[in-house]
Amino acid sequence: MTAMTYHLEAILRLAFVVQRYGLEINGGAERLCRLLAENLRPHCQSVTVFTTCAKDYNCWENAYPPGRDMIAGVEVLRFPLSRQRHPTMFNALYDVLTYNTLFSLGFNETVVDGESSFDAIFYSKQRQKALLDKQPLLRHYDSLDSSLIPKLESAWMQAQGPISSELNDYIERAKDKYDAFFFVCYNYATTFTNIHRVGPKAVLIPTFHKEVCITFSLFQKMMERVCHFVFLTKEEQALAHFCFPQIKDRPQTCVALGVETDLKPRSRRLLDEIGLGDLPYFIYIGRVDKAKGCDSMIESFLAYKKQYQTKAKLVLVGKIEFELTKHPDIIALGFVEEDVKTTLLAYSLALILPSVHESLSIAVLEAFAQKKCVVVTAKSDVLKSHVVLSGGGLCYQDNEELLQALSQVENEPEHVANMGQKGFLYVQKNYSWEHVVKTYLDIAASLAANQKRSWWSKIQAACSSSRHSSNS
């Protein structure tokens, strides 16, 4: 890197654009954004987050007051939502577009060779039946006029949201004040409607995972407007290259985030306050949502309790997004402070993570940081990779294997402790903030240097043109 680039690092002005932002928002992408912003702030002239006033992604209601806020030294600019999400409209549009994708590729197609294994996740008879049960009118579906697809995708993006015209206008006006804009999440309107506004300053942290909307054609054009891609894992990068082959030769970096490995838990008295006492428990951390596989996880855990006659409980940490089964051994705590979460992890048997839709999983890395093993679904390439590379946990393919894994965790403490230690070493080696911060500063400084060189070239060209005119 040139001396010019290093000099720029001290005066960099960075912007992050994300759909929601706040201490109590525990979505993975939003938390990633917050951790990056807070750790980059001491090394830059300024770090500003552009976001909306929303807390709940299901409805996009204005919950925070609009205007300027300061969180951990980071300037946060919140803008009001222009409209709320209508779940019925949104779900109907998504179902039609999903069905069109399935229909066009063939329901029986389950190609599993190499990259095409992505198809098998979606294009199945099971997915077809689920959609038909949900939207009976699709039984009369043949195929959509291809000219309608872009219009339906555009309508879906508007329904997806969040829509804030004031946010869009402000980014347009303020774009020259910042050296780089980091857009977090590819599939929200905060990214889609603004990434073209900032030109050569656009960096995308897409958080890709296997979902049908990644196949929508409107994202193909959006990718052409990105100047630099940041992928959290090699698995995410491979998925991106499969879905968007045109970006393979574009500037891109694979880097995740840093994880603190020296956080100390509070005393076990906290467990008494929660009602756990000395009882063993498994823990889930994240959005408690059916889309994350939490309903099937709870069902499987209760089956485990019945089959193995264990005293273990299941603790859920994160916002509850659906009505839970009422059971004395399911303890839903909702949002908790960071030190409480660290303490709950430290004294747990293991972290369970059933979500297929992961581009990194901060929860797994934080569990490793507390020397805890993890039990994760093998259907997520990212989660499986963490376990395989670290040796820090167990993967399961189905309900039976999940029950066996939970029993193994309870009954083989030495092996479990060994897995936890391996996970700790994996995080210590691969997820240092020093490396992450330097990588992001390098990206931003490179963009800023390119802009400086571009401006200098234009000035030189203008001066040369002026001298030529004078001489003639």
Side-chain angles (χ1 to χ4, degrees):
M1 183 169 291
T2 65
M4 178 183 182
T5 304
Y6 279 119
H7 173 69
L8 283 167
E9 288 185 359
I11 59 171
L12 286 172
R13 295 164 298 176
L14 308 185
F16 283 84
V17 182
V18 68
Q19 58 274 8
R20 304 179 295 165
Y21 193 92
L23 293 175
E24 64 272 68
I25 293 174
N26 64 344
E30 292 90 344
R31 187 148 183 266
L32 169 73
C33 180
R34 182 166 63 82
L35 291 172
L36 288 171
E38 290 175 4
N39 281 275
L40 284 165
R41 176 62 191 91
H43 306 277
C44 302
Q45 182 176 332
S46 67
V47 174
T48 302
V49 175
F50 294 88
T51 189
T52 71
C53 295
K55 281 186 181 179
D56 188 343
Y57 76 98
N58 288 303
C59 60
W60 298 130
E61 289 181 341
N62 288 308
Y64 292 108
R68 185 176 183 269
D69 193 5
M70 293 295 293
I71 300 178
V74 175
E75 180 185 42
V76 181
L77 300 180
R78 291 195 178 93
F79 298 85
L81 281 303
S82 305
R83 59 178 176 227
Q84 296 180 17
R85 174 189 274 183
H86 299 285
T88 302
M89 171 81 71
F90 169 75
N91 291 331
L93 284 166
Y94 193 69
D95 288 343
V96 169
L97 287 167
T98 297
Y99 200 86
N100 182 72
T101 301
L102 300 177
F103 192 93
S104 64
L105 289 164
F107 288 112
N108 293 315
E109 182 179 353
T110 52
V111 182
V112 292
D113 58 319
E115 294 178 315
S116 296
S117 60
F118 167 70
D119 299 345
I121 299 293
F122 303 110
Y123 314 140
S124 66
K125 286 288 186 182
Q126 183 180 5
R127 188 65 184 270
Q128 178 191 21
K129 182 180 183 303
L131 276 172
L132 291 175
D133 290 344
K134 187 178 178 183
Q135 300 285 356
L137 288 176
L138 290 175
R139 295 182 184 279
H140 306 289
Y141 179 94
D142 182 16
S143 62
L144 289 176
D145 184 333
S146 60
S147 66
L148 290 177
I149 301 301
K151 296 176 183 178
L152 286 172
E153 289 181 350
S154 179
W156 171 81
M157 177 54 71
Q158 291 296 307
Q160 162 83 317
I163 305 298
S164 173
S165 56
E166 290 189 31
L167 169 62
N168 302 343
D169 292 343
Y170 191 88
I171 289 177
E172 183 68 44
R173 295 196 306 270
K175 61 186 178 184
D176 292 334
K177 297 180 181 179
Y178 301 91
D179 298 299
F181 280 79
F182 293 91
F183 291 87
V184 182
C185 287
Y186 78 101
N187 58 335
Y188 285 104
T190 40
T191 293
F192 184 79
T193 59
N194 288 300
I195 203 163
H196 70 281
R197 300 179 193 275
V198 302
K201 303 178 181 182
V203 182
L204 179 62
I205 309 171
T207 66
F208 287 132
H209 53 262
K210 293 176 179 177
E211 56 186 343
V212 170
C213 66
I214 200 174
T215 67
F216 292 176
S217 60
L218 81 174
F219 293 120
Q220 295 289 335
K221 188 173 182 180
M222 188 185 84
M223 297 304 151
E224 298 172 6
R225 296 164 172 164
V226 178
C227 294
H228 200 111
F229 293 88
V230 178
F231 301 112
L232 304 178
T233 62
K234 292 294 185 183
E235 290 74 24
E236 183 196 4
Q237 187 176 35
L239 177 61
H241 290 175
F242 174 67
C243 295
F244 307 99
Q246 70 272 29
I247 73 170
K248 286 183 179 180
D249 297 324
R250 302 284 295 282
Q252 54 196 267
T253 304
C254 191
V255 63
L257 80 171
V259 179
E260 302 291 344
T261 57
D262 56 355
L263 297 177
K264 303 300 181 185
R266 289 163 54 179
S267 75
R268 291 189 69 99
R269 285 197 298 271
L270 173 66
L271 304 186
D272 295 330
E273 296 171 11
I274 294 172
L276 288 167
D278 294 324
L279 290 171
Y281 63 92
F282 294 91
I283 190 169
Y284 167 85
I285 297 175
R287 202 172 71 239
V288 183
D289 196 325
K290 290 183 179 180
K292 293 287 188 178
C294 291
D295 52 341
S296 60
M297 174 186 66
I298 292 170
E299 184 179 335
S300 296
F301 180 77
L302 294 178
Y304 170 70
K305 291 276 300 180
K306 184 176 181 179
Q307 182 173 333
Y308 289 86
Q309 298 297 303
T310 173
K311 293 182 179 180
K313 296 181 181 290
L314 176 61
V315 175
L316 307 175
V317 174
K319 185 179 179 184
I320 312 299
E321 300 287 358
F322 69 102
E323 188 174 350
L324 297 176
T325 301
K326 293 183 179 180
H327 194 282
D329 294 321
I330 305 296
I331 302 175
L333 299 179
F335 171 79
V336 301
E337 299 294 334
E338 287 295 311
D339 63 329
V340 175
K341 183 184 71 176
T342 299
T343 303
L344 289 168
L345 258 178
Y347 296 121
S348 68
L349 291 167
L351 172 81
I352 307 176
L353 204 63
S355 173
V356 176
H357 307 302
E358 298 295 323
S359 55
L360 174 64
S361 183
I362 300 173
V364 164
L365 302 180
E366 289 177 333
F368 285 162
Q370 290 299 316
K371 300 182 179 180
K372 290 297 164 180
C373 81
V374 299
V375 179
V376 304
T377 175
K379 294 178 181 177
S380 165
D381 293 341
V382 169
L383 298 182
K384 183 178 179 180
S385 177
H386 281 317
V387 168
V388 170
L389 292 174
S390 67
L394 302 168
C395 295
Y396 64 90
Q397 287 282 358
D398 52 32
N399 182 65
E400 183 179 348
E401 288 189 6
L402 172 56
L403 270 58
Q404 292 171 356
L406 297 182
S407 177
Q408 186 175 348
V409 168
E410 279 210 78
N411 293 294
E412 300 180 21
E414 290 186 10
H415 180 47
V416 168
N418 185 46
M419 287 191 289
Q421 180 64 29
K422 288 180 178 178
F424 178 79
L425 295 174
Y426 170 73
V427 164
Q428 205 172 42
K429 178 182 178 181
N430 297 291
Y431 295 92
S432 75
W433 273 117
E434 181 181 1
H435 169 66
V436 173
V437 166
K438 182 181 184 306
T439 301
Y440 271 86
L441 291 177
D442 285 349
I443 293 169
S446 177
L447 292 179
N450 288 340
Q451 293 165 56
K452 302 288 187 188
R453 282 191 287 267
S454 176
W455 296 335
W456 180 241
S457 296
K458 290 178 181 178
I459 292 172
Q460 286 181 315
C463 292
S464 175
S465 176
S466 177
R467 286 196 299 270
H468 179 74
S469 297
S470 299
N471 292 335
S472 60

